[in-house]
Amino acid sequence: MKRVFGVKKDKEPPPTIQDSSERINKRGDTVDEKIKKLDAELARYKEQIKNTRPGPAQVAVKARAMRILKQKRMYEGQRDMLYNQTFNLDQVAFASEGIKDAQQTVSALKSANKELKGVMKTVKIQDIDNLQDEMMDLMDVSSEIQETLGRSYSVPDDIDEEDLMGELDALEADMAMETESNEVPSYLQPELDAELSMPSAPTGHAASAGRANNQAEDELGLPAVPRASLRG
């Protein structure tokens, strides 16, 4: 039966946008190569027209250049058409990718929404408010405990602050009086200045100079006896 009716062939999958775009780009590259060859021929014909005198030869060269120019224009039109097709395919691919991204975003949002609803069922606003109130009460109790532990046992609670300020002022007045009593009286200032301006003690150089001016001494510290001069 298979030989009579043949085997049913599987349909090939339709080409993707990327495949179509690559195929068109290859065709565009081929057209560009042909245009480059025609440009080279046109440049050669231009040189021949410049170097050829007006006449039948120049007319023949111009005719061939015109033919090459027409072919170039035709290929340029094909290239522009291929470029337009590639641009359209790129736009479609961009839109397709955008739709895929949107689908993934929607799926992610749905999953997150479902998960958030499940979490919200286990959390109640009233429970959170009660927890906050309990935490505030605990913080107040903690502050009271710290104040109680930091209380001083030696300082009475019935001390008047005005009395303390008066005592502090009296202490400062006493300190000022003691400072004034330690100062030197004004009538003793000249004598103190005179004592401070007394000359300093003589140094060793001055003492040695005084001894040099006095009579010479022997090894016992007594005046030396001059020796009698010997007469011959």
Side-chain angles (χ1 to χ4, degrees):
M1 295 294 293
K2 291 182 180 180
R3 294 180 180 178
V4 176
F5 296 101
V7 180
K8 185 178 180 180
K9 295 182 179 180
D10 297 332
K11 291 183 179 180
E12 295 181 358
T16 61
I17 296 175
Q18 185 177 1
D19 295 337
S20 299
S21 179
E22 291 178 356
R23 184 170 178 273
I24 292 173
N25 287 330
K26 290 180 180 179
R27 290 179 58 191
D29 295 338
T30 302
V31 174
D32 286 335
E33 292 295 332
K34 292 181 179 180
I35 291 173
K36 289 180 181 179
K37 291 181 180 180
L38 294 176
D39 287 335
E41 292 183 8
L42 283 175
R44 189 174 67 253
Y45 288 148
K46 286 180 181 179
E47 292 294 330
Q48 291 180 3
I49 290 171
K50 289 181 181 179
N51 298 326
T52 304
R53 295 180 180 179
Q58 191 180 43
V59 172
V61 175
K62 287 183 178 180
R64 280 179 282 181
M66 289 295 294
R67 187 181 74 252
I68 297 299
L69 186 60
K70 289 179 181 180
Q71 292 178 3
K72 178 184 175 182
R73 294 290 175 83
M74 181 185 66
Y75 285 129
E76 287 177 349
Q78 292 179 0
R79 184 184 61 183
D80 294 339
M81 181 180 63
L82 293 173
Y83 284 165
N84 290 332
Q85 292 179 6
T86 304
F87 176 77
N88 293 332
L89 289 173
D90 291 339
Q91 292 296 107
V92 173
F94 181 79
S96 178
E97 293 296 330
I99 292 173
K100 291 179 181 179
D101 294 339
Q103 289 177 350
Q104 292 181 357
T105 303
V106 171
S107 298
L109 289 175
K110 288 181 178 179
S111 178
N113 189 19
K114 184 178 179 181
E115 184 178 357
L116 188 60
K117 286 181 179 179
V119 174
M120 285 300 179
K121 291 180 181 180
T122 60
V123 178
K124 295 181 180 180
I125 302 298
Q126 187 63 32
D127 295 339
I128 296 176
D129 292 337
N130 295 334
L131 180 62
Q132 291 290 339
D133 294 338
E134 291 179 1
M135 290 298 297
M136 291 179 66
D137 294 338
L138 291 175
M139 293 301 295
D140 293 338
V141 174
S142 176
S143 299
E144 293 179 0
I145 293 173
Q146 295 297 327
E147 291 178 0
T148 303
L149 294 176
R151 187 180 302 168
S152 178
Y153 300 106
S154 60
V155 179
D157 296 334
D158 55 350
I159 295 178
D160 191 0
E161 293 184 359
E162 294 182 359
D163 295 341
L164 292 177
M165 293 300 296
E167 186 177 351
L168 180 61
D169 294 338
L171 181 61
E172 291 180 354
D174 294 339
M175 293 175 63
M177 292 178 64
E178 291 179 0
T179 303
E180 292 178 357
S181 62
N182 292 330
E183 294 180 355
V184 179
S186 60
Y187 61 85
L188 295 179
Q189 291 292 336
E191 296 180 0
L192 181 62
D193 294 339
E195 292 178 358
L196 294 177
S197 60
M198 293 178 64
S200 59
T203 59
H205 295 286
S208 61
R211 290 180 180 177
N213 294 328
N214 294 331
Q215 188 177 0
E217 297 177 352
D218 56 4
E219 62 272 7
L220 299 178
L222 300 176
V225 177
R227 297 180 180 179
S229 58
L230 297 176
R231 295 180 179 180

